[in-house]
Amino acid sequence: MKRLLLYFTFYILHFTFASAFASTTVPVTVVEGNHMPLVDAVLDGRRATLIFDTGASHTTFDLGFVTNAFPGVKLIEPVMVGESNAFAKPRFLPAKTLSIGGRDIAVEGVMALDLSHLDASVGRNVDGILGMDVLRPQRFILSLARSELVFVDEPSEVPPGFVRVPSRLDSSGRYNLLATLPDGTKRAMLLDSGSTYTFLAGTNSWPLAESASSLAASDVNGRAPLAFHPGLPGLLTLGPTNFPVAPLLLARPPLDQLGSDFLLKADLLHVPSHIFLR
């Protein structure tokens, strides 16, 4: 979910992004200041604004939005499996179709939870979170630098500049990327476009820039303070390439994640079960 703040085989996969194949380009609003990527969506005919959140296991709509958009709808109490950072129990809405930028995606329902606190944190109206249950089967390129999301329909060669990085899915279907820190240690870092910042657990895991500070944090449960140490700008190794990051270091483990600040500098190519960056 949003936070504001090994079996790895290296081989070439061929996927086709040639112009001969259909694709859908979706504008992404990257909110100034907190870098939250927002996309327009339509859930069973009702318009909504969603956070594009690779750190969310389930696509979840604000309970207030659901009750207003679907008056009288019967919500179901689901049986949850895998990891979740939601303290409150979500409800299940038996929706059928979720359209993202005009691209229709069949769904087998979505979650509903009180997310009303996200509006103040994001600084925009937010009706829900687009999570990995919907995104995982899709081929797409996410570029926060260009403010666009491109769904691709057919396989082809990997576009120029993209390199495959070692990754694995956790029990909730979210991607963790295997990163090497400057001291040579390795971390599995959650790929989380719904986090403003890149975080590392442990104040000795990265060179420090300044004394400890704090920021307001908001996730699916509400607001809470986070104490952190700013890290110096440096290079994080992901697969065969180094990427610039300036992580925030938290004394409270475990929290290792690559946030939207990272994705502003690195385009993401997702092919089911594989992650590429450039």
Side-chain angles (χ1 to χ4, degrees):
M1 296 285 183
K2 175 180 158 294
R3 280 161 297 282
L4 265 184
L5 310 267
L6 214 175
Y7 176 84
F8 293 114
T9 306
F10 289 92
Y11 57 94
I12 302 290
L13 297 178
H14 295 285
F15 297 97
T16 255
F17 294 85
S19 58
F21 295 105
S23 63
T24 303
T25 299
V26 180
V28 177
T29 298
V30 181
V31 180
E32 185 177 356
N34 56 44
H35 321 316
M36 286 295 99
L38 307 181
V39 294
D40 291 331
V42 179
L43 179 69
D44 283 359
R46 278 68 168 184
R47 296 186 178 277
T49 298
L50 304 181
I51 300 171
F52 188 99
D53 192 352
T54 60
S57 58
H58 293 83
T59 297
T60 306
F61 283 76
D62 176 51
L63 187 60
F65 167 84
V66 170
T67 55
N68 288 329
F70 304 95
V73 69
K74 183 178 180 180
L75 299 177
I76 302 168
E77 291 195 9
V79 176
M80 299 292 293
V81 296
E83 300 174 0
S84 174
N85 65 336
F87 296 155
K89 181 180 292 186
R91 303 294 183 89
F92 181 79
L93 172 68
K96 300 297 183 184
T97 303
L98 180 62
S99 178
I100 308 295
R103 181 186 183 92
D104 291 339
I105 301 173
V107 294
E108 297 180 355
V110 296
M111 296 297 178
L113 187 68
D114 181 10
L115 301 176
S116 57
H117 56 277
L118 295 184
D119 287 1
S121 298
V122 177
R124 301 285 184 90
N125 174 70
V126 175
D127 299 309
I129 296 167
L130 180 62
M132 289 307 298
D133 56 336
V134 169
L135 294 173
R136 196 166 50 252
Q138 312 299 320
R139 293 183 180 93
F140 63 82
I141 296 175
L142 176 66
S143 175
L144 298 191
R146 293 196 304 273
S147 298
E148 69 177 22
L149 166 69
V150 181
F151 289 107
V152 183
D153 293 333
E154 299 290 342
S156 99
E157 293 182 356
V158 173
F162 278 103
V163 295
R164 187 184 170 202
V165 300
S167 64
R168 66 185 180 196
L169 291 171
D170 65 17
S171 62
S172 294
R174 305 172 302 174
Y175 286 95
N176 286 268
L177 307 187
L178 183 63
T180 302
L181 305 188
D183 64 1
T185 60
K186 298 185 183 300
R187 296 282 183 96
M189 301 187 69
L190 177 67
L191 181 62
D192 190 355
S193 61
S195 170
T196 295
Y197 302 108
T198 292
F199 289 103
L200 283 172
T203 55
N204 61 348
S205 59
W206 193 275
L208 298 180
E210 302 171 9
S211 59
S213 187
S214 64
L215 51 78
S218 182
D219 60 14
V220 294
N221 304 302
R223 299 184 63 83
L226 280 180
F228 69 92
H229 290 260
L232 287 170
L235 295 178
L236 187 72
T237 301
L238 293 163
T241 307
N242 295 323
F243 293 89
V245 296
L248 303 183
L249 311 181
L250 300 178
R252 183 188 67 193
L255 187 59
D256 296 314
Q257 62 188 38
L258 294 163
S260 56
D261 57 340
F262 170 78
L263 290 172
L264 279 168
K265 303 173 183 177
D267 289 348
L268 165 66
L269 163 62
H270 172 261
V271 176
S273 301
H274 303 288
I275 296 292
F276 298 79
L277 296 171
R278 71 175 175 192

